[in-house]
Amino acid sequence: MYIYSGASQPEESSHVDDQEKYEQFMARIEAGEKIEADDWMPDDYRQALIKLISMHGISEIMGALPEKEWVPKAPTLKRKLGIMAKVQDEMGHGQLLLRVAEDLMRPYGKTRGDLMDDLLSGDLKFHNVFHMPTKTWADAGMVGWLVDGAAIISQTNMLDASYGPYQRALQRICQEEVFHAQHGEAIIMALAEGTEHQRQILQESLNRWWSALLMFFGPKSADTTGSSKQDIMIKYRIRKSSNEELRQAFLDKYLPRVFSLGLTVPDETAHYDEEKGEWVYQQPDWNEFKQIIKNKGPRSKERLRLREVAYENNRWVRQALTSEAVGS
Amino acid sequence: MENTNEASFYQEYEVFSKKSVKAPIQHQFSLLAPNEEMALSMAVENFMRREDVLDVWVVKRSNIRAMTSEERMNWTKRLDNKDYRRTKGYGYLRQKWKEKEQGMLDEKEIMSWKEVKKK
Amino acid sequence: MMPVETAEEAKKDATYLKALKDLIYQCADDDFIISFRGSEWLGLAPHIEEDVAFSSITQNTMGHAVMFYSLLEELGEGKADALAHERQPDERRNAVYLEKKNGEGSYLGEPYYDWALTVVRNFLYETFKKVKLKAITNSSYQPLANVAEKVLMEQPYHLSHWRIWVEQLLASTEDARSRLEERLEEAWYAFGDVLELGQYATEMEHFQLMIGEDELKELWLEEVKTTIKDLPNGTPKKQLGSGREGEHTADFDQALEVLSEVYVSDENAIW
Ligand SMILES: [Fe+2]
Ligand SMILES: [Fe+2]
């Protein structure tokens, strides 16, 4: 269906042609038009999209794992069903996003299998929060409420993204996130209004997740960790806001709710500065962040191993159904 | 013989189109054409001459594996017991948040997060 | 036998009530344990798209268990959540074959789960469920007949999903075929108790709650044969024991420990 436009262009397309196409491309995205998979696009746009969307997609797939630990353990029938549906959605988000990434990678002849290989070899990274352990049922709630909350902030920010297939996938995803937000709230609310023990595991969980949540949006500027893709994302209208703006929006939306439940955050300096109109907080350890996303986080190895065993152990199934014997 | 040849002129194509940048591809109707090039070049004026169209797909009907009528009957019924995966099942939270002087995160609220304060 | 319309009516005859409850426990516990095994697979299936589809089937099936537990709740057996999470192994009526682990390892680490077992087990079970529920639609206990009717609305999709997997894998590589055949062979040693109705089988038939075991077995086998031509000989044995009589294996203990871990961690909690 999609023909990679590059392939049908004359090989020796001149620099002038490219310049013209580039200007046309920029004019289109500035006018709010959407770029489709087979449209001409600058190379760094394609590269940035592949990197962003494959990481986003694989993070959904890896993100299913920490929460999934609690799926068979969920404490009631309704919670078992709810968290199952929620984690299923996350796998579904992975499916949508990987399809978008796969279409972008077609000109390079790469497929789903290559993405899985890249993940297992460490070339394709997944989000910092999904390298963290989950220790109690409260963590299942914390992931649903605040990790999804952070994800919602960053995903809604790209709902107007210039790349059509990504924008449409995000539209579907954000619709489902409304359920995720409420699923998370429901678990948290029951714990917050529950027994001593329930309130205790809830507070402990928040203490455990706090710095990972701050890290979620990435460092304020490139100098912190030496790499940041935020500028190109904004230039090409993939997202609108900076890392820090997103983190502030997250704190805006969630901290009042956190406090209203009688919970505290493990940072005594955290407060809203009325004058500056922003939240003041202690920076998380960005060196630790760098280690985590290099697959050197607390649970990185185990999660990758889980994915690897499941992937390799089921290879025979995929091989069986590629054989000529089946259908057409 | 001649008759058979002519019969093969009439191939069935299903036509899909897209109205706006944000709209999904939507089924329009079907038409007869001898091949996909012809089908595509006739499709727009047959079905979308009064509307915007940004993209068109034609798919040979024989390439579509649709549900059979039996499958439609057997595979599409769902029980109405899945509130656990719908926001409907969590509506009670609104009151709980209200008691804490906070709003619930509903669709309207979440979709409004698209706009973020500039620094 | 006059139809019994309500739980109150059913409670009037002690023998009727015993047989009825046993039958519902079997339905509820079967759906619950197989959906528990399904929930362990989430995120680990051979293919992302399949993972999503499989999970909907698992959720539906657990939803069916909830419907059956709710019938028991009406009959005074206690809350559905307590029935699912608190009962001891000897009180459980699910078939032993359905509690068997998905394979080696665990979903938390080294999950060497076997897709062939999952395909064979779910196909055989969904075929059985269809036959059993069809018979139950004629049950003298109306609330149960109604639930069976409802469940049968969405269950055909489940059966056809697993039938496609069976057909395609059997028709694929030598490797896949032999993996499936091995699991079929195994099922012929262990599926036996799925097809049984337990200690009140005679009463169930007598009170027209359900058809007899022999008929059930026959209908099941016929239906299975329409998909798999080369079946092992005879009818399945029950070498792992009979869950219908409350016998269970170490695999069940593992399931119970996991599924009730949070539930039992705080007795006073509302979750
Ligand atoms: Fe997601
Ligand atoms: Fe989510």
Side-chain angles (χ1 to χ4, degrees):
Chain A
M1 177 90 37
Y2 291 112
I3 301 149
Y4 175 49
S5 59
S8 60
Q9 301 300 318
E11 288 283 322
E12 66 282 10
S13 80
S14 66
H15 182 74
V16 183
D17 274 1
D18 273 0
Q19 190 55 36
E20 205 173 295
K21 281 186 202 148
Y22 183 79
E23 276 157 21
Q24 212 174 45
F25 168 87
M26 288 308 289
R28 284 184 68 195
I29 61 173
E30 272 152 30
E33 281 184 41
K34 300 295 171 214
I35 305 304
E36 295 301 326
D38 57 348
D39 285 340
W40 185 92
M41 60 184 86
D43 232 28
D44 58 345
Y45 181 73
R46 182 183 295 274
Q47 297 299 342
L49 284 173
I50 291 176
K51 197 158 184 200
L52 171 74
I53 303 170
S54 59
M55 184 186 157
H56 186 178
I58 214 71
S59 294
E60 301 276 358
I61 301 295
M62 293 305 288
L65 297 178
E67 247 181 321
K68 186 281 168 80
E69 291 173 8
W70 296 91
V71 166
K73 297 181 178 181
T76 67
L77 291 161
K78 185 168 176 201
R79 293 278 177 253
K80 279 186 165 68
L81 286 164
I83 194 169
M84 218 190 303
K86 198 278 186 181
V87 176
Q88 173 193 39
D89 281 354
E90 302 300 2
M91 292 301 289
H93 295 172
Q95 192 275 343
L96 295 167
L97 295 162
L98 291 183
R99 284 299 306 123
V100 176
E102 287 151 15
D103 280 346
L104 280 163
M105 298 183 323
R106 259 169 75 125
Y108 306 118
K110 290 184 108 190
T111 65
R112 172 100 38 107
D114 296 306
L115 281 174
M116 290 303 296
D117 291 342
D118 288 350
L119 169 74
L120 298 175
S121 71
D123 290 340
L124 177 56
K125 309 288 190 226
F126 60 103
H127 224 292
N128 76 292
V129 276
F130 304 126
H131 296 255
M132 306 309 285
T134 65
K135 294 190 168 146
T136 65
W137 170 247
D139 290 340
M142 204 50 72
V143 171
W145 190 37
L146 294 185
V147 172
D148 272 60
I152 294 170
I153 295 279
S154 74
Q155 293 177 125
T156 49
N157 198 249
M158 297 186 287
L159 276 173
D160 290 328
S162 58
Y163 187 56
Y166 190 42
Q167 183 272 327
R168 289 191 293 274
L170 287 170
Q171 193 68 37
R172 291 183 79 113
I173 289 171
C174 290
Q175 294 289 343
E176 291 181 346
E177 291 296 346
V178 179
F179 154 59
H180 296 188
Q182 297 181 2
H183 154 84
E185 285 183 350
I187 296 177
I188 294 298
M189 189 66 80
L191 295 175
E193 295 186 339
T195 64
E196 184 80 12
H197 166 247
Q198 284 174 302
R199 285 199 304 278
Q200 187 192 333
I201 59 174
L202 180 59
Q203 182 62 61
E204 286 168 359
S205 170
L206 180 53
N207 297 349
R208 269 201 292 282
W209 284 91
W210 177 246
S211 65
L213 286 163
L214 289 177
M215 289 174 188
F216 184 95
F217 300 95
K220 197 165 186 168
S221 69
D223 352 315
T224 319
T225 57
S227 88
S228 170
K229 286 270 176 295
Q230 34 180 340
D231 300 339
I232 195 168
M233 293 295 166
I234 292 171
K235 168 177 140 196
Y236 283 136
R237 308 230 167 181
I238 296 165
R239 66 150 128 144
K240 298 182 197 162
S241 309
S242 69
N243 291 353
E244 186 57 24
E245 283 165 346
L246 292 177
R247 186 166 23 245
Q248 287 289 331
F250 171 73
L251 298 173
D252 264 345
K253 298 296 179 193
Y254 284 93
L255 274 189
R257 288 176 168 89
V258 165
F259 298 143
S260 82
L261 295 176
L263 294 166
T264 58
V265 296
D267 173 359
E268 277 159 22
T269 69
H271 70 280
Y272 190 73
D273 185 328
E274 297 282 350
E275 230 161 75
K276 287 193 195 149
E278 64 176 32
W279 290 89
V280 177
Y281 57 90
Q282 239 158 47
Q283 290 298 314
D285 181 350
W286 290 109
N287 281 324
E288 190 191 330
F289 174 77
K290 265 200 276 186
Q291 292 304 310
I292 291 171
I293 54 173
K294 273 192 216 152
N295 292 341
K296 289 178 185 157
R299 301 291 290 170
S300 314
K301 292 278 164 299
E302 291 83 350
R303 299 266 157 74
L304 282 167
R305 175 71 186 153
L306 207 59
R307 182 59 62 225
E308 183 179 18
V309 172
Y311 187 67
E312 295 301 336
N313 183 48
N314 288 315
R315 190 180 285 279
W316 69 270
V317 180
R318 297 185 298 272
Q319 279 172 345
L321 295 194
T322 50
S323 78
E324 301 304 315
V326 180
S328 58
Chain B
M1 192 63 204
E2 215 162 69
N3 223 349
T4 334
N5 281 340
E6 194 179 318
S8 76
F9 179 89
Y10 300 115
Q11 304 286 324
E12 294 159 323
Y13 286 89
E14 295 292 340
V15 178
F16 301 79
S17 80
K18 186 177 163 69
K19 256 190 193 170
S20 71
V21 289
K22 289 192 175 176
I25 287 270
Q26 207 176 31
H27 182 240
Q28 294 297 347
F29 218 79
S30 66
L31 56 71
L32 297 181
N35 55 59
E36 63 181 29
E37 291 309 314
M38 293 295 281
L40 187 61
S41 85
M42 296 185 287
V44 178
E45 293 314 307
N46 268 269
F47 307 122
M48 293 149 287
R49 55 188 175 275
R50 286 187 189 81
E51 55 189 74
D52 289 347
V53 45
L54 298 188
D55 194 2
V56 178
W57 296 359
V58 291
V59 185
K60 201 168 179 186
R61 184 179 280 173
S62 58
N63 284 336
I64 297 179
R65 165 64 166 90
M67 285 187 185
T68 63
S69 107
E70 200 198 340
E71 285 163 353
R72 277 196 295 277
M73 255 161 27
N74 288 329
W75 292 5
T76 56
K77 293 202 191 77
R78 281 198 195 129
L79 295 180
D80 182 18
N81 64 348
K82 307 194 198 326
D83 280 358
Y84 63 84
R85 68 173 172 205
R86 308 173 54 172
T87 49
K88 203 173 134 193
Y90 301 87
Y92 69 94
L93 290 168
R94 188 174 302 282
Q95 184 55 35
K96 290 198 177 280
W97 281 117
K98 214 171 149 189
E99 288 161 16
K100 300 175 193 335
E101 295 173 4
Q102 295 293 327
M104 178 183 183
L105 302 181
D106 57 15
E107 183 173 346
K108 200 171 148 229
E109 169 69 17
I110 283 180
M111 288 308 191
S112 79
W113 292 1
K114 206 160 114 165
E115 304 307 329
V116 163
K117 221 169 35 186
K118 286 276 161 215
K119 302 232 31 180
Chain C
M1 177 85 208
M2 291 281 288
V4 177
E5 305 281 352
T6 65
E8 288 318 305
E9 243 179 280
K11 287 181 193 164
K12 284 180 190 154
D13 183 329
T15 331
Y16 182 86
L17 185 62
K18 261 190 197 155
L20 171 63
K21 287 197 292 201
D22 210 63
L23 178 60
I24 305 177
Y25 270 122
Q26 293 175 25
C27 296
D29 290 345
D30 277 357
D31 275 345
F32 186 56
I33 195 71
I34 202 162
S35 58
F36 169 80
R37 290 295 176 215
S39 78
E40 289 183 309
W41 263 107
L42 181 55
L44 305 172
H47 177 55
I48 298 169
E49 281 82 346
E50 170 61 19
D51 217 313
V52 176
F54 182 12
S55 180
S56 276
I57 293 177
T58 304
Q59 289 165 47
N60 288 350
T61 304
M62 195 172 284
H64 301 164
V66 172
M67 291 161 83
F68 290 119
Y69 283 133
S70 303
L71 286 174
L72 289 161
E73 209 176 300
E74 283 167 29
L75 289 165
E77 290 296 277
K79 289 274 175 224
D81 273 322
L83 297 178
H85 295 90
E86 282 181 24
R87 286 156 58 234
Q88 294 306 302
D90 63 342
E91 301 170 87
R92 306 268 180 168
R93 291 290 173 269
N94 61 275
V96 173
Y97 175 70
L98 306 180
E99 73 201 30
K100 197 175 163 54
K101 285 185 186 170
N102 292 321
E104 298 299 315
S106 125
Y107 76 87
L108 295 165
E110 306 296 297
Y112 288 99
Y113 285 0
D114 184 13
W115 192 244
L117 167 61
T118 294
V119 164
V120 165
R121 172 156 67 185
N122 280 286
F123 168 71
L124 295 178
Y125 177 67
E126 295 290 2
T127 306
F128 158 79
K129 186 166 160 177
K130 171 184 164 185
V131 169
K132 182 174 188 176
L133 291 180
K134 268 201 172 159
I136 291 180
T137 58
N138 294 317
S139 177
S140 60
Y141 187 56
Q142 291 306 297
L144 178 59
N146 294 341
V147 166
E149 198 91 55
K150 280 195 193 157
V151 171
L152 280 172
M153 281 166 53
E154 65 184 11
Q155 191 262 350
Y157 165 65
H158 304 180
L159 175 54
S160 64
H161 183 83
W162 297 113
R163 184 187 292 134
I164 290 165
W165 271 107
V166 167
E167 284 172 349
Q168 295 212 357
L169 288 177
L170 281 177
S172 66
T173 55
E174 189 57 51
D175 175 43
R177 188 164 47 248
S178 73
R179 284 171 190 263
L180 253 71
E181 279 166 357
E182 207 174 291
R183 287 300 185 181
L184 271 169
E185 206 65 53
E186 172 193 77
W188 248 245
Y189 284 100
F191 196 81
D193 68 332
V194 181
L195 299 165
E196 287 185 345
L197 295 170
Q199 54 177 324
Y200 300 107
T202 327
E203 287 83 351
M204 287 177 196
E205 203 177 349
H206 169 74
F207 289 120
Q208 290 168 26
L209 283 164
M210 177 61 197
I211 57 174
E213 279 179 354
D214 292 342
E215 196 183 346
L216 182 64
K217 247 177 240 181
E218 219 169 278
L219 288 170
W220 172 79
L221 196 57
E222 237 168 70
E223 179 86 26
V224 171
K225 276 183 186 157
T226 62
T227 300
I228 310 174
K229 303 285 171 277
D230 279 326
L231 284 171
N233 290 328
T235 49
K237 297 182 184 54
K238 41 173 184 175
Q239 287 194 339
L240 299 174
S242 176
R244 303 293 184 227
E245 317 271 344
E247 292 169 18
H248 294 284
T249 58
D251 286 12
F252 188 77
D253 297 334
Q254 174 265 340
L256 199 54
E257 200 177 305
V258 172
L259 71 88
S260 65
E261 181 186 310
V262 182
Y263 182 93
V264 301
S265 68
D266 188 341
E267 281 175 2
N268 303 312
I270 296 167
W271 299 100

